[in-house]
Amino acid sequence: MALACTSFGLDVDNLTIDRYLQYLSLFLKWNKTYNLSAIRHPDEMVTKHLLDSLSVAPHLQGSRFIDVGTGGGLPGIPLAITYPERHFTLLDSAGKKTRFLFQVKTALGLDNVQIENCRVEAYQPVERYDGVISRAFSSLKDMTDGCQHLIGSDGRFWAMKGVFPKSELSELEKHYIVDSSHPLIVPNLEGERCLVVLRKEIS
């Protein structure tokens, strides 16, 4: 795992790696009852959940993020473990998933994590975010339409996708532009992964 983190440009210590493993252990335990994920094998969880989440870490800019449709805390929990100085709100409408996240937050002492159990359109933050990050949205248009009330004027959308979503970009409102895009190389993960960063053009 340390080698994989190094390949992402992350300098993590043994304590951080231990917390990643604690999280995965809790995920594995709760998954048996709560069906957090269809992935059951620990090795697959390391690759498809933990490392996939961490692959976006070097590209984040800002200090306040919201992970919408976080499910079992992906990518929010691994990112919060990696960056204790940054704040992460984890939002999901499924109560069983947010109950699991409260357990993780307590067990790992993640003071930089806030958990919200509601639908995204109902959530009105007191302070807007530097970024919305998600693996959950079916399209970029769904993401920007559903989450535009969450970010500040200079905020970004960090969308984790498979192949580069060229057709989805054509569906966006004209004021959304691609700030950057990055291929994501996840060790032992087959198939393409990419990160698309969108921002609202200020006229």
Side-chain angles (χ1 to χ4, degrees), residues 10-179:
L10 299 176
D11 183 17
V12 297
D13 57 22
N14 289 334
L15 178 60
T16 300
I17 290 175
D18 285 346
R19 296 175 100 194
Y20 294 151
L21 295 175
Q22 268 186 277
Y23 167 58
L24 286 183
S25 178
L26 286 167
F27 197 108
L28 193 64
K29 179 182 175 181
W30 282 62
N31 200 33
K32 294 173 183 176
T33 305
Y34 280 68
N35 286 324
L36 302 170
S37 167
I39 297 169
R40 302 289 180 180
H41 195 282
D43 288 345
E44 276 195 280
M45 287 185 174
V46 169
T47 300
K48 296 181 178 179
H49 287 338
L50 180 62
L51 297 183
D52 186 54
S53 296
L54 291 175
S55 68
V56 305
H59 305 292
L60 295 184
Q61 298 173 19
S63 59
R64 283 175 44 80
F65 301 89
I66 181 166
D67 176 7
V68 177
T70 187
L74 301 161
I77 292 290
L79 294 174
I81 293 171
T82 308
Y83 297 118
E85 74 282 4
R86 292 171 165 175
H87 174 89
F88 293 87
T89 295
L90 311 183
L91 183 147
D92 204 282
S93 60
K96 66 180 182 179
K97 293 177 180 176
T98 54
R99 283 193 291 277
F100 165 68
L101 295 174
F102 274 113
Q103 176 66 28
V104 172
K105 174 184 166 83
T106 302
L108 273 63
L110 296 176
D111 296 333
N112 60 330
V113 167
Q114 174 184 337
I115 298 157
E116 297 291 340
N117 177 208
C118 62
R119 295 182 64 83
V120 64
E121 57 269 24
Y123 181 57
Q124 299 294 329
V126 175
E127 183 181 350
R128 294 194 178 193
Y129 295 91
D130 299 319
V132 172
I133 183 167
S134 184
R135 307 196 309 173
F137 283 95
S138 58
S139 73
L140 296 175
K141 188 174 191 311
D142 287 344
M143 186 179 189
T144 52
D145 286 354
C147 302
Q148 58 183 334
H149 65 291
L150 301 177
I151 63 170
S153 58
D154 197 37
R156 302 285 191 277
F157 295 90
W158 276 271
M160 300 176 68
K161 307 294 286 185
V163 296
F164 185 77
K166 189 173 181 180
S167 61
E168 292 180 30
L169 290 170
S170 66
E171 298 169 358
L172 291 174
E173 301 289 341
K174 298 300 182 187
H175 52 261
Y176 286 110
I177 62 173
V178 177
D179 189 66

